[in-house]
Amino acid sequence: MANEAKPCPCDIGDKLEYGGLGEEVQIEHIQAYVVNPAESSKRAIIVIQDIYGWKLPNTRYMADLLASNGYIAICPDFFVGKEPWSPSHDWSTFQEWLKDRKATNINREVDAVLRYLKEQHGATRIAAVGFCWGGVAVHHLALQYPEIKAGVSVYGIIRDTEDRYQLQSPTLFIFGEKDEVIPLDQVTVLEKKLQEKCFIDFQVKVFPGQTHGFVHRKREDINPSDKLLIQEARLDMLNWLKKYV
């Protein structure tokens, strides 16, 4: 369970304004939102969208936050031009919509982003952070890409492959206790199986009372009672990245 948040010199987004501090670029066959830190850096974070797509202000805000902490942050369009999900869509059609947007079918895009970061930015240490759909994608990368030095999977797990516990890079999994998308019993199984089968550093952390989407929730949508836990989750993310990247 989560502990009380502690003060930290890291920027956890209290004063960062929305609006986008970066720019959109074309990387081979995909577009991406890229934010550079104030000072030159060889460390980069791939920020992976949720089902609402790479242009969602919440996700771009997290990229801005990472850049404000000294990383090159890049949020690619992993749907490759396909329409993102919308709150107005009929949830009964979600599985059909998801068929050609699998979070485990992104290797071509990841390879393009890695080339871009290395060739255009000189990045030597690269990690990944993802939310919801992107959390599943980060879990996938932790299994497939040992060159990605660390992952932070925020409310997302792979549920349907036998090797999903054999991580190749250190991974932090963050969940909300009241998440209706990922029940706690699935989180418990994940942690137990990782303890049995994983030989890479990992952490599974559940935040009491929190619902799906809490870590990258907009400031104006945050309940005052949740603020300390959201700050703690963001701080955990930054500390994990600082440890390994």
Side-chain angles (χ1 to χ4, degrees):
M1 286 302 209
N3 298 314
E4 184 178 352
K6 297 178 177 63
C8 173
C10 300
D11 182 349
I12 53 176
D14 280 351
K15 298 178 180 178
L16 198 63
E17 294 300 327
Y18 282 82
L21 303 178
E23 61 178 349
E24 294 182 5
V25 300
Q26 186 73 35
I27 301 172
E28 299 183 22
H29 65 293
I30 56 174
Q31 289 182 288
Y33 174 75
V34 181
V35 199
N36 288 303
E39 297 182 4
S40 179
S41 176
K42 300 294 185 183
R43 303 179 302 157
I45 311 295
I46 303 171
V47 181
I48 308 182
Q49 69 212 42
D50 60 18
I51 59 175
Y52 299 108
W54 71 297
K55 291 188 175 183
L56 186 74
N58 305 49
T59 307
R60 292 194 174 192
Y61 181 76
M62 297 306 290
D64 292 350
L65 185 153
L66 289 163
S68 74
N69 283 278
Y71 302 98
I72 304 158
I74 181 167
C75 181
D77 176 14
F78 280 106
F79 292 164
V80 197
K82 300 185 187 77
E83 183 184 11
W85 187 255
S86 168
S88 65
H89 288 174
D90 181 353
W91 280 103
S92 68
T93 67
F94 180 74
Q95 291 303 322
E96 183 65 29
W97 172 88
L98 192 61
K99 281 184 178 178
D100 63 350
R101 298 168 178 83
K102 294 290 187 184
T104 54
N105 188 28
I106 59 171
N107 289 27
R108 183 185 177 208
E109 288 69 50
V110 172
D111 291 343
V113 171
L114 289 174
R115 282 192 292 271
Y116 169 81
L117 288 172
K118 293 172 184 176
E119 295 172 7
Q120 301 299 319
H121 291 269
T124 56
R125 298 190 67 80
I126 301 170
V129 173
F131 306 89
C132 180
W133 186 95
V136 179
V138 167
H139 191 172
H140 168 72
L141 297 187
L143 299 171
Q144 298 281 330
Y145 283 83
E147 69 180 291
I148 293 180
K149 301 301 182 184
V152 181
S153 172
V154 189
Y155 21 86
I157 54 174
I158 293 175
R159 298 180 172 97
D160 56 358
T161 61
E162 289 299 321
D163 66 347
R164 61 189 180 275
Y165 308 114
Q166 298 168 8
L167 304 178
Q168 301 296 308
S169 55
T171 306
L172 168 63
F173 294 89
I174 293 175
F175 300 100
E177 180 190 23
K178 303 295 186 182
D179 192 331
E180 295 181 358
V181 179
I182 305 174
L184 274 181
D185 61 338
Q186 293 184 11
V187 177
T188 301
V189 170
L190 171 71
E191 185 169 26
K192 180 181 177 183
K193 293 294 186 181
L194 286 171
Q195 289 169 347
E196 293 173 358
K197 300 184 177 184
C198 181
F199 300 100
I200 296 290
D201 192 17
F202 71 89
Q203 183 180 358
V204 176
K205 189 166 182 178
V206 178
F207 285 78
Q210 298 307 298
T211 57
H212 198 75
F214 76 101
V215 178
H216 69 314
R217 190 164 291 148
K218 274 191 168 184
R219 186 186 303 122
E220 58 266 32
D221 296 331
I222 294 174
N223 292 324
S225 60
D226 295 329
K227 185 175 180 180
L228 281 179
L229 290 173
I230 292 169
Q231 289 176 334
E232 182 182 343
R234 292 178 179 180
L235 181 56
D236 287 340
M237 173 186 72
L238 293 169
N239 284 338
W240 191 265
L241 296 172
K242 183 178 180 180
K243 182 178 180 180
Y244 290 107
V245 183

